[in-house]
Amino acid sequence: MNSPTTHFVTSRRMGIYEPMHQISMWGDFEINGCQKTSATMIAEVDPKLDSQSEDTSHETQGQLYKFDQEKSKHSDKKLRRLAQNREAARKSRLRKKAHVQQLEASRLKLIQLEQELERARHQGLYLGGGGLDTSPIEYSGSVNSGIAVFEMAYGQWVEKHKRQISDLRTALTSHMLDNDLRILVEGSMNHYGDLFRMKATAAKADVFYLMSGIWKTSAERFFLWIGGFRPSELLKVLVPQLDLILTEEQVFDIYNLKQSCQQAEDALSQGMEKLRQILAEAVASGQLGEGSYIPQMTMEKLEALVRFVNQADHLRQETLQQMYRILRTRQAAQGLLALGEYIQRLRDLSSLWSNHQPDPS
């Protein structure tokens, strides 16, 4: 088979001189008495014209090949972009579907809670323990609906937190891409933000309940500090898990963050201790009033107690966010996994102790 170049030259030759089979049929001919011109003489002119034709052919083909390459690259980019858009749309639909399902489940649980609250009002019982202690607690013959809602919401928060821990563990072992891993990390950070907002509402409903830690397991209550964990303790848990993959700059930033946390904790602890003494003196001297009457000064102290809880939660949230800014995406995922596993081990420790049956002998 003739190459593309050969075919082009042949076409060119035919376009200029007439096809070769016609020349052979005409034979030699004369024009105005000139010497006859044969096909051999025409053939002698061909090499120069052929060379020019081949050069033009190669140049044209090179331009066409380059154009085809650019067109192919543009097409590949367009296909990749379309595939990425389809995948993003698919994930968005899945998240929306999950969110709708979660809202529907919450609506059904809220209906169930309202029914339980109605039954509890008739029984004069208080729903305590955040779902962790099923025995009801006597509480002034009425039910604090704000705390009951918090307990239900916190139970849902714990279940979702367990799923997030599992998702982070799977993502890290499967070497998920950073962009997809970042979605899980940000989801986990937002989940802690939901907890702090829930606690702020619960503190307004009953600040003593929130600070007592009844909604937590016994092992978690052992480490309780103003209604939650100490931020500096959080750093003590995370840093050993990340020590081998931290840069010098990250180590320095985390050290400064730890120092700031401890200073803020000391200030809050001192303020809490003074407030506790003032409240204790008010109770001892009978300054709380009688019946439903509470003196204005006492109300101000109780509101100050709520502010202390909110400030402690703000410090916890700021510590998490600062760690997230210091760490890279994969490091942040490992840190959140370490924190989640630590909290889960505390819950497991409580279960082990409560199920422990000492040997009578």
Side-chain angles (χ1 to χ4, degrees):
M1 179 181 294
N2 291 333
S3 65
T5 303
T6 303
H7 182 268
F8 182 86
V9 173
T10 303
S11 299
R12 181 81 177 206
R13 185 180 302 165
M14 292 172 66
I16 296 175
Y17 300 108
E18 298 290 336
M20 293 301 296
H21 70 276
Q22 293 184 15
I23 295 176
S24 62
M25 289 174 61
W26 293 348
D28 297 338
F29 59 93
E30 296 181 0
I31 301 178
N32 297 330
C34 295
Q35 188 177 359
K36 294 181 180 179
T37 304
S38 66
T40 305
M41 295 176 64
I42 295 175
E44 291 177 355
V45 184
D46 273 350
K48 184 176 180 180
L49 296 175
D50 286 349
S51 176
Q52 294 176 353
S53 300
E54 289 177 2
D55 292 341
T56 304
S57 174
H58 285 303
E59 181 180 356
T60 304
Q61 288 182 345
Q63 292 175 352
L64 290 173
Y65 179 72
K66 183 177 180 182
F67 175 77
D68 289 340
Q69 279 188 323
E70 293 177 353
K71 184 177 180 181
S72 177
K73 290 180 180 179
H74 178 72
S75 178
D76 290 343
K77 289 181 179 179
K78 184 176 181 180
L79 290 175
R80 284 196 299 269
R81 187 161 57 248
L82 289 174
Q84 291 173 353
N85 290 341
R86 284 195 296 269
E87 180 64 16
R90 186 185 69 83
K91 291 181 178 180
S92 178
R93 288 193 297 270
L94 290 176
R95 287 195 296 268
K96 183 177 180 180
K97 182 179 178 181
H99 181 64
V100 171
Q101 291 175 345
Q102 184 179 3
L103 289 176
E104 180 62 19
S106 299
R107 186 183 69 84
L108 294 175
K109 289 183 178 181
L110 183 59
I111 294 174
Q112 181 183 0
L113 175 63
E114 290 174 349
Q115 295 172 349
E116 292 176 356
L117 287 175
E118 187 62 28
R119 288 195 298 269
R121 287 190 182 97
H122 292 295
Q123 298 173 0
L125 299 176
Y126 172 71
L127 303 178
L132 302 174
D133 183 3
T134 56
S135 59
I137 302 174
E138 295 290 343
Y139 188 75
S140 303
S142 62
V143 174
N144 189 324
S145 59
I147 295 302
V149 170
F150 169 78
E151 288 183 347
M152 183 197 73
Y154 180 68
Q156 295 176 353
W157 187 93
V158 171
E159 292 304 316
K160 185 176 179 180
H161 188 235
K162 291 178 181 178
R163 293 195 298 270
Q164 287 181 334
I165 295 172
S166 177
D167 291 342
L168 285 171
R169 186 183 299 110
T170 301
L172 288 171
T173 55
S174 64
H175 304 289
M176 179 182 288
L177 296 177
D178 282 356
N179 288 337
D180 295 329
L181 188 59
R182 186 178 296 108
I183 295 175
L184 293 179
V185 171
E186 291 177 353
S188 184
M189 291 290 293
N190 292 334
H191 192 52
Y192 279 105
D194 293 339
L195 175 61
F196 298 135
R197 285 189 289 272
M198 289 160 42
K199 289 175 64 181
T201 303
K204 294 178 181 178
D206 188 344
V207 66
F208 296 112
Y209 160 86
L210 190 66
M211 293 188 63
S212 69
I214 297 174
W215 47 285
K216 285 182 170 289
T217 60
S218 55
E220 289 177 289
R221 289 198 295 270
F222 180 74
F223 296 97
L224 201 66
W225 175 78
I226 314 183
F229 58 82
R230 281 182 176 269
S232 58
E233 291 294 332
L234 163 67
L235 297 177
K236 290 180 182 179
V237 172
L238 296 185
V239 172
Q241 302 296 325
L242 303 171
D243 192 34
L244 296 178
I245 57 176
L246 293 174
T247 64
E248 292 184 3
E249 182 179 359
Q250 288 175 324
V251 172
F252 180 75
D253 290 340
I254 293 174
Y255 173 80
N256 288 336
L257 177 60
K258 184 178 178 181
Q259 295 295 108
S260 299
C261 285
Q262 289 177 338
Q263 293 174 2
E265 288 172 8
D266 291 342
L268 284 174
S269 296
Q270 293 174 5
M272 276 296 303
E273 183 59 31
K274 291 181 179 179
L275 183 58
R276 185 181 291 109
Q277 292 177 0
I278 293 172
L279 288 174
E281 292 172 357
V283 173
S285 60
Q287 297 178 5
L288 292 181
E290 298 180 357
S292 60
Y293 171 73
I294 300 179
Q296 181 63 29
M297 184 185 70
T298 304
M299 282 298 300
E300 291 175 354
K301 300 304 178 185
L302 293 177
E303 291 172 356
L305 189 58
V306 172
R307 287 195 295 271
F308 269 105
V309 173
N310 291 338
Q311 288 173 1
D313 273 345
H314 178 72
L315 180 59
R316 284 182 271 266
Q317 187 171 17
E318 280 295 312
T319 303
L320 283 172
Q321 291 176 348
Q322 286 294 333
M323 283 294 293
Y324 180 49
R325 296 187 187 100
I326 293 172
L327 301 176
R328 294 188 291 269
T329 299
R330 194 161 296 274
Q331 292 173 328
Q334 291 174 325
L336 288 170
L337 176 60
L339 175 59
E341 289 178 339
Y342 172 73
I343 296 173
Q344 186 58 49
R345 282 194 291 269
L346 288 179
R347 297 190 187 116
D348 294 340
L349 179 61
S350 299
S351 299
L352 287 173
W353 179 252
S354 62
N355 295 330
H356 175 68
Q357 298 294 333
D359 188 356
S361 60

